[in-house]
C-alpha cells in the first residue's frame, strides 16, 4: 500500500472531530455531501465557512474560521482532529497555518487541491497530511478493507 493510503487510513481511524473548511450549505455541493457522508459514519462535523457563519449546516453550528471553531470547542474539551479542506489550492496556506495553530492532528486537501508549501508546512509541524484525495472515497475504501479483514 502506498504511503498516502496508509496515512489516509491512519487519519480515518484516529479522527473523531472533523472541521470541514469551505463547506457549502447547498446539498448538491461536494463539500456538503462528503461532510454528510462522514457525519453518517460517526464523525462529528464542524462546518467552517465565513459566508455561512452563525447558521447551522448538517445540524452543527458553522464558524467563520478554524480558530473560532477550535476556541468554541475547547470550552467543551473537544479538539479538532482533522482539518478537511474544500478551498482553492492557492487559498490553502493560511488554513494550514490555522490547523497547526489549533494543534489539529491531521490536514487533508480534497481531490484536485494541491499546495506543496501548505502540506510541507503542516508535515513539518507534525500533522499527518493527505492531498488531492477525497475523504468520502478513502473512507468507503477503508471501511471495505476493514470488513474484508474482519
Amino acid at each position: 500500500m502506498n504511503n498516502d493510503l496508509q496515512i489516509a487510513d491512519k487519519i480515518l481511524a484516529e479522527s473523531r472531530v472533523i472541521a470541514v473548511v469551505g463547506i457549502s450549505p447547498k446539498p448538491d455541493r461536494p463539500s456538503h455531501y462528503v461532510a454528510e457522508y462522514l457525519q453518517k459514519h460517526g464523525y462529528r462535523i464542524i462546518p467552517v465557512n465565513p459566508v455561512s457563519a452563525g447558521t447551522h449546516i448538517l445540524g452543527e453550528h458553522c464558524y467563520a474560521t478554524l480558530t473560532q471553531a477550535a476556541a468554541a470547542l475547547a470550552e467543551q474539551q473537544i479538539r479538532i482532529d482533522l482539518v478537511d479542506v474544500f478551498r482553492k489550492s492557492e487559498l490553502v496556506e493560511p488554513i494550514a497555518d490555522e490547523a497547526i495553530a489549533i494543534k489539529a492532528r491531521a490536514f487533508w486537501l480534497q481531490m484536485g487541491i494541491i499546495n506543496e508549501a501548505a502540506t510541507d508546512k503542516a508535515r513539518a509541524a507534525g500533522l499527518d497530511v493527505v492531498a488531492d484525495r477525497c475523504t468520502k472515497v478513502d473512507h468507503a475504501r477503508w471501511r471495505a478493507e476493514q470488513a474484508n479483514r474482519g
Side-chain angles (χ1 to χ4, degrees):
M1 177 164 33
N2 80 32
N3 196 37
D4 272 0
L5 289 181
Q6 287 179 319
I7 293 169
D9 291 355
K10 177 180 187 269
I11 292 169
L12 293 166
E14 295 177 359
S15 297
R16 288 292 144 253
V17 179
I18 303 174
V20 182
V21 179
I23 190 170
S24 172
K26 299 174 184 164
D28 62 329
R29 301 297 294 268
S31 61
H32 188 96
Y33 60 74
V34 168
E36 185 175 37
Y37 167 91
L38 293 169
Q39 189 180 55
K40 286 180 178 168
H41 285 90
Y43 297 95
R44 177 157 182 208
I45 298 304
I46 307 301
V48 178
N49 180 332
V51 177
S52 298
T55 67
H56 282 76
I57 299 175
L58 297 170
E60 291 281 356
H61 182 83
C62 184
Y63 297 90
T65 68
L66 202 46
T67 303
Q68 289 173 1
L73 292 168
E75 291 176 12
Q76 306 163 43
Q77 277 72 55
I78 296 171
R79 173 179 165 179
I80 293 170
D81 298 311
L82 169 60
V83 176
D84 191 6
V85 183
F86 287 86
R87 300 288 290 138
K88 291 180 180 167
S89 296
E90 63 270 18
L91 303 176
V92 167
E93 206 168 341
I95 300 166
D97 292 336
E98 274 194 286
I100 293 162
I102 67 162
K103 297 181 173 32
R105 293 185 175 115
F107 186 67
W108 192 304
L109 302 181
Q110 281 290 328
M111 194 75 76
I113 305 171
I114 301 166
N115 182 317
E116 302 243 345
T119 54
D120 288 351
K121 194 184 285 192
R123 270 191 205 98
L127 280 71
D128 289 320
V129 176
V130 172
D132 194 24
R133 299 190 66 85
C134 176
T135 44
K136 179 179 185 287
V137 170
D138 277 341
H139 183 268
R141 175 198 47 77
W142 177 68
R143 278 189 68 217
E145 289 171 4
Q146 297 295 310
N148 290 340
R149 285 188 201 131

